[in-house]
């Protein structure tokens, strides 16, 4: 067994799987510790790096070990078209909690209150990373570091603080909860230290979250439409924050 494969087997239960070139590229860009990265086609992977990630090309060159196609396929649940996979060290809960608790804050924290859909959670983490949100907090039983969520997040869990917390331990800051029955968001400027909460796909905001809410806000919606998808609601809300001059991250 080659060294990268031995390392893979040693680390795969404790590390986060980065599935495909783009997830690895993002994770490296945002400072993830990547102890092992493999590819079935090193030349193709480095050609992608030249084209799409010249900023981290050197790091990727140093990280990627070529393994036979069958070996690569045996390490991942499903081979990715780019034939690249890596393992990254999950940031410590303590470090994430420090980031989430730090004040003053330059960008909101997104709270998903008891989300159910792993794909939605991944899409929201990708959005939060794109808008430079401070973090994404989930309440309830969904693990925001579940492999399916990490896949949906395209390696961007390392660009924002992602943790699961109890409703009574949410980060500081005024709590704006999104609900179709709220006040029209278009008349409200969201502060940079806002905590932006969204309800679950099936039942909306929990009673516990509602009890802590400072402002209930609605996204504009035509009569007779019941609600938007969770991730699109987060997208519109973060866009609303950024369009009013919310901090843009370099
Ligand atoms: C699919 S919706 C939940 C629908 C659920 N049946 C309900 O009773 O609210 C998921 C979440 O997206 C947000 N959302 C969806 N449409 C919204 C709207 N028009 N205004 C504000 N928030 C909305 C809310 O936070 C909501 O809890």
């Amino acid at each position: 067994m080659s060294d990268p494969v031995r390392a893979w087997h040693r680390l795969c239960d404790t590390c986060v799987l980065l599935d495909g070139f783009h997830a690895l590229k993002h994770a490296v860009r945002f400072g993830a510790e990547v102890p092992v990265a493999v590819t079935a086609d090193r030349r193709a992977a480095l050609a992608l790096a030249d084209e799409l990630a010249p900023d981290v090309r050197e790091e990727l060159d140093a990280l990627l070990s070529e393994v036979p196609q069958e070996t690569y396929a045996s390490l991942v649940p499903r081979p990715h078209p780019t034939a690249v996979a890596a393992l990254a060290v999950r940031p410590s809960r303590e470090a994430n909690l420090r980031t989430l608790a730090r004040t003053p804050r330059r960008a909101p924290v997104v709270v998903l209150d008891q989300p159910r859909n792993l794909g939605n959670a991944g899409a929201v983490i990708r959005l939060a990373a794109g808008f430079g949100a401070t973090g994404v907090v989930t309440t309830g039983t969904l693990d925001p570091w579940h492999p399916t969520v990490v896949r949906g997040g395209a390696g961007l869990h390392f660009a924002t603080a992602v943790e699961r917390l109890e409703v009574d331990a949410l980060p500081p800051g005024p709590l704006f909860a999104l609900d179709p029955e709220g006040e029209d968001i278009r008349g409200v400027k969201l502060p940079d230290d806002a905590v932006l909460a969204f309800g679950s796909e099936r039942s909306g905001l929990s009673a516990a979250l509602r009890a802590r809410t400072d402002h209930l806000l609605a996204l504009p919606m035509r009569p007779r439409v019941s609600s938007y998808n969770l991730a699109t609601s987060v997208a519109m809300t973060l866009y609303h924050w950024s369009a009013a001059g919310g901090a843009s991250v370099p």
Side-chain angles (χ1 to χ4, degrees), residues 37 65 78 80 145 150 167 169 195 201-202 214:
S65 300
R78 197 165 11 110
H80 189 274
W145 285 86
V150 173
V167 170
V195 176
E201 294 87 343
R202 206 170 306 156
D214 299 307

Side-chain angles (χ1 to χ4, degrees), residues 178-180 182-187 217-223 225-228 233 236-237 240:
L178 277 286
D179 183 271
E183 172 192 351
D184 191 329
I185 195 170
R186 288 173 293 185
L217 299 181
L219 296 159
M221 209 166 53
R222 183 181 173 187
V225 175
S226 307
S227 68
Y228 294 118
S233 300
M236 286 185 269
T237 305
H240 178 74

